[in-house]
Amino acid sequence: MVKPVFAIVGRPNVGKSTIFNRIVGERVSIVEDKPGITRDRIYHSAEWLNQDFFVIDTGGIDMGDEPLIEKMRHQAELAIDEADVICFVVNGREGITAADEEIAQLLHRSKKPVILAVNKMDDPSLHEKLYEFYSLGLGEPHPVSGSHGRGFGDMLDAAKEYFPADKPPEYDDETIRLSLIGRPNVGKSSLVNAILGEERVIVSDIPGTTRDAVDTAFKKDEQDYVVIDTAGMRKRGKVYESTEKYSVLRALKAIERSNVVLVLIDGEEGIIEQDKKIAGYAHEAGRAVVIVVNKWDAVEKDDKTMREFENKIRDEFAYLDYAPVVFLSAKTKKRVQHLLPVVNQVSESHNLRVPTNVLNDVIVDAVTMNPTPTSAGGRRLRINYTTQVSVAPPTFILFVNDPDLLHFSYRRYLENRIRDAFGFAGTPIHILARKKR
Ligand code: GDP
Ligand code: GDP
């Protein structure tokens, strides 16, 4: 359930970002023939032999204007703190440098599993260069070529050996796992405190959780909740923790472990780019979402302000049109009492299973009202049967004559009809098409 994290470290220009791209299987960050280029995405989910994991390219974390060696040290520390397995990349053509040795020592001391990737081994004639890398004391060097895509199978096999075995679920199914995401200072910790301070909320002992993520469990009206990664909301003071990319990474990991995500927006400051990025991830991950506009006390308002703000949210977060919006103030606690009932409701939608016969009636009616589209060649989509295959998020399969005939707009239309019929407030729903056998 909780994906292991594989972090790539190494000095500049050894090929970290090229390797990252290979592992995630698409070109997500920019690789050019100049060092120090800005990278867009430094974390991505990946899969190897049915094992899902996260990859982090620590080279893309901007540490500010530190001297190079400090920067590398901080990147390595981040990897040591966050990763289950570290991929240490060196340049096979250049041999070992002083900076490599320095990083190797840090990794060595951390006792984290390390996969030593010797990059730029574009053809086997270069393999004799491998032997010197044994002296780094990090075990067997794995020859790879980022640009040619060689050696990745063996390297990822070796990494997979170290991934923690499937952990049992951390909490039982009945517990609502909440994460609060949003930029620094939006009021995440204040809101957690406000929730915990509500009437009839019983805070229990903090269960021992994964690594440095400390969760907070509580109960209200017989419903169990846990706030995921309460520790991550506190300021902790390491150099890299103030960087934006790090806070996004932290948020991703919290989203992964939760089933309801509260996306916090600063009512005073408005919506920023980072809000959209993280909210997009919650949506992609299939979590239930509530948009919370905090600091509403500090906003000068009249009878239209709330509607205007909500319209802005709907524009900016078009894909989250299913997410309810709650305006509140963590500071004055005004309207905080409305939040948990909304959380309960979206969690219910997220887990809702609808009767198959009613579902098929809804689809048949939808097709009657608005016939299925035809292709350019005149072939019409035919839907034979629809079934809900899973919850969290609710996922439907349409058995059709040809899945390619189901286009975005008709899928969207069907989604809306399903929502009209059953609700599903606060949860994304997935609609897949399969060829009927
Ligand atoms: P980073 O700074 O460690 O992330 O390194 P990059 O991924 O940006 O790569 C630095 C340079 O090395 C780029 O010019 C890449 O094209 C090149 N490079 C990366 N992998 C390989 C490889 O396997 N073989 C060769 N010959 N060049 C590579
Ligand atoms: P975090 O970094 O997201 O955890 O944010 P904090 O909870 O630490 O809050 C950051 C700052 O915003 C603090 O000074 C809070 O007092 C302030 N703050 C939080 N919630 C509210 C609110 O509802 N209204 C106002 N006016 N200030 C708030």
Side-chain angles (χ1 to χ4, degrees):
M1 252 203 47
V2 181
K3 289 184 199 171
V5 175
F6 189 52
I8 304 172
V9 300
R11 57 195 172 78
N13 259 346
V14 291
K16 295 182 295 300
S17 129
T18 310
I19 288 174
F20 174 84
N21 281 324
R22 279 283 171 198
I23 295 176
V24 307
E26 39 183 312
R27 293 186 64 86
V28 287
S29 62
I30 310 150
V31 183
E32 271 180 21
D33 274 329
K34 48 183 164 181
I37 203 153
T38 337
R39 299 158 189 201
D40 228 30
R41 290 196 90 164
I42 52 133
Y43 39 75
H44 209 281
S45 45
E47 195 196 319
W48 177 246
L49 302 177
N50 290 325
Q51 163 81 61
D52 289 320
F53 59 100
F54 269 121
V55 197
I56 316 177
D57 172 9
T58 63
I61 307 234
D62 185 7
M63 303 290 179
D65 303 328
E66 310 182 312
L68 184 61
I69 194 76
E70 282 299 301
K71 212 177 267 189
M72 281 166 29
R73 199 196 311 270
H74 289 137
Q75 288 167 349
E77 279 167 4
L78 180 146
I80 290 165
D81 287 348
E82 297 293 335
D84 295 290
V85 182
I86 295 169
C87 177
F88 177 34
V89 183
V90 293
N91 182 337
R93 299 186 179 207
E94 285 176 1
I96 298 173
T97 68
D100 290 335
E101 275 171 348
E102 178 118 4
I103 303 175
Q105 269 179 24
L106 268 175
L107 297 180
H108 217 248
R109 258 180 272 142
S110 78
K111 310 230 164 20
K112 275 273 158 96
V114 176
I115 301 294
L116 177 58
V118 181
N119 191 34
K120 310 204 182 185
M121 300 302 238
D122 301 346
D123 70 87
S125 68
L126 294 161
H127 280 196
E128 65 193 51
K129 294 191 182 275
L130 272 184
Y131 297 104
E132 74 164 291
F133 292 97
Y134 276 100
S135 72
L136 288 173
L138 294 169
E140 195 189 334
H142 296 270
V144 297
S145 166
S147 46
H148 292 59
R150 280 176 204 225
F152 280 79
D154 287 348
M155 181 186 75
L156 291 173
D157 279 346
K160 194 168 177 253
E161 291 289 305
Y162 291 114
F163 286 159
D166 268 350
K167 294 173 201 149
E170 299 173 286
Y171 301 103
D172 67 41
D173 283 349
E174 306 297 306
T175 302
I176 296 179
R177 288 166 280 134
L178 272 179
S179 59
L180 285 81
I181 61 170
R183 61 163 134 171
N185 285 324
V186 69
K188 298 179 292 297
S189 340
S190 307
L191 183 55
V192 171
N193 289 334
I195 295 170
L196 299 181
E198 271 193 282
E199 263 179 70
R200 302 194 312 282
V201 165
I202 304 152
V203 182
S204 54
D205 282 342
I206 293 165
T209 44
T210 37
R211 268 198 306 277
D212 58 346
V214 176
D215 302 342
T216 302
F218 66 97
K219 194 186 224 33
K220 185 175 190 190
D221 300 333
E222 297 309 304
Q223 173 65 53
D224 286 308
Y225 304 85
V226 58
V227 180
I228 298 295
D229 195 17
T230 318
M233 295 170 200
R234 301 196 200 111
K235 323 286 178 277
R236 300 190 309 157
K238 285 189 183 161
V239 174
Y240 56 77
E241 287 179 351
S242 58
T243 66
E244 183 198 313
K245 286 203 166 139
Y246 178 78
S247 66
V248 174
L249 172 69
R250 188 104 204 181
L252 292 190
K253 290 172 79 179
I255 290 169
E256 233 8 84
R257 293 177 56 222
S258 59
N259 46 24
V260 177
V261 179
L262 304 182
V263 176
L264 268 70
I265 293 171
D266 191 321
E268 227 183 335
E269 310 266 328
I271 300 160
I272 58 166
E273 212 40 50
Q274 193 185 341
D275 296 337
K276 290 197 254 178
K277 223 186 261 177
I278 312 185
Y281 194 86
H283 169 76
E284 279 170 33
R287 302 303 188 254
V289 174
V290 179
I291 298 173
V292 177
V293 182
N294 188 35
K295 309 199 184 180
W296 202 238
D297 60 294
V299 175
E300 226 183 282
K301 35 191 177 296
D302 57 31
D303 56 342
K304 294 194 205 70
T305 318
M306 201 180 267
R307 169 149 318 164
E308 281 164 6
F309 204 102
E310 178 159 358
N311 288 343
K312 211 179 300 165
I313 289 173
R314 296 303 175 201
D315 281 352
E316 301 272 4
F317 299 90
Y319 50 90
L320 285 180
D321 55 359
Y322 53 80
V325 181
V326 177
F327 293 81
L328 52 75
S329 165
K331 189 171 169 186
T332 67
K333 307 206 168 53
K334 200 161 180 192
R335 294 176 194 270
V336 168
Q337 79 276 15
H338 294 313
L339 185 59
L340 287 182
V342 175
V343 165
N344 296 346
Q345 190 199 346
V346 304
S347 170
E348 218 166 273
S349 305
H350 201 224
N351 290 294
L352 180 64
R353 216 176 255 285
V354 304
T356 308
N357 56 339
V358 186
L359 174 65
N360 278 280
D361 287 347
V362 168
I363 299 295
V364 168
D365 285 350
V367 173
T368 311
M369 300 233 301
N370 180 7
T372 51
T374 49
S375 67
R379 295 184 58 228
R380 182 176 290 284
L381 173 72
R382 265 186 294 107
I383 304 170
N384 285 72
Y385 184 71
T386 307
T387 182
Q388 181 176 359
V389 288
S390 62
V391 295
T395 303
F396 300 90
I397 290 188
L398 309 175
F399 290 95
V400 300
N401 56 337
D402 178 357
D404 290 339
L405 296 173
L406 179 65
H407 295 153
F408 176 80
S409 58
Y410 203 75
R411 188 195 301 264
R412 189 76 189 175
Y413 166 71
L414 293 177
E415 174 177 342
N416 289 335
R417 296 290 75 75
I418 291 175
R419 288 187 184 280
D420 288 346
F422 304 106
F424 288 116
T427 179
I429 66 182
H430 294 169
I431 298 178
L432 313 170
R434 293 267 185 284
K435 195 172 170 58
K436 87 171 157 108
R437 279 155 299 171

